[in-house]
Amino acid sequence: PLEEAEMSPMARSFYGDSKRVRNDRIKGELGVTLRYPGYREGLAAILEGRGIAIDRAIAIIVPAEEIVRRISGRRTCSKCAAMYHVAFEPPQKPGVCDKCGGELYQRDDDAEDTVRNRLKVYDATTRPVLDYYRGESLLAEVEGTGRPEDVEERILNVLDGLVPARARVRAAKHK
């Protein structure tokens, strides 16, 4: 977990706040030349080098407020790391782990302000990638709310014809 990873305080703050370092800053301050100017070019080159083509890109669409509710409601046991959710899977006694009696806490990266910041970063960094795949007619947008089984079925429908039949059978067995 992030809390236990070995990293400098600066690196920890970047991960915790979902910060990124722009390519031009890396080039300017470190004096390096990046092989690829951006994500799209880098991914395209890697895939081409392996003989892989992208047939479909999937974006699972969930409203921002639902994302905030899902993530900021998570709680973790301080002793055994069991996971709970205040709305979807609450412990029997608020703030206390059902398994070991440990105290439940909210991780820093699950705090509402942090989640909202991560969504801003997502909009700034990932939306352009989605726009690219949309422009290439490769993007399939899947509604990501509802029961997990329903979302899975929507994804499999988008992949129909792309996923081998045995994978669909395997997914059906896990329901």
Side-chain angles (χ1 to χ4, degrees), residues 12-30:
R12 184 172 303 286
S13 77
F14 268 69
Y15 279 103
D17 294 340
S18 296
K19 294 179 182 174
R20 305 289 187 269
V21 179
R22 294 186 329 268
N23 287 351
D24 60 336
R25 186 168 180 195
I26 292 171
K27 291 184 232 179
E29 291 189 22
L30 297 180

Side-chain angles (χ1 to χ4, degrees), residues 74-137:
R74 296 190 296 206
R75 299 296 183 267
T76 305
C77 177
S78 60
K79 287 185 180 177
C80 72
M83 299 290 296
Y84 295 89
H85 192 281
V86 296
F88 307 131
E89 195 176 339
Q92 292 176 1
K93 183 177 178 186
V96 179
C97 178
D98 295 341
K99 296 176 182 173
C100 74
E103 180 182 351
L104 301 183
Y105 72 99
Q106 183 182 49
R107 295 181 347 190
D108 291 342
D109 58 333
D110 288 346
E112 184 173 335
D113 290 345
T114 303
V115 175
R116 289 188 187 284
N117 185 57
R118 287 162 54 191
L119 289 171
K120 287 178 187 173
V121 171
Y122 172 85
D123 280 336
T125 59
T126 305
R127 293 266 181 221
V129 176
L130 297 180
D131 291 342
Y132 169 79
Y133 287 116
R134 188 178 292 111
E136 297 292 314
S137 298

Side-chain angles (χ1 to χ4, degrees), residues 46-67:
I46 291 168
L47 295 175
E48 183 179 318
R50 295 182 179 174
I52 299 171
I54 294 178
D55 297 315
R56 182 101 66 238
I58 299 174
I60 300 172
I61 306 300
V62 179
E65 288 307 312
E66 177 67 10
I67 293 170

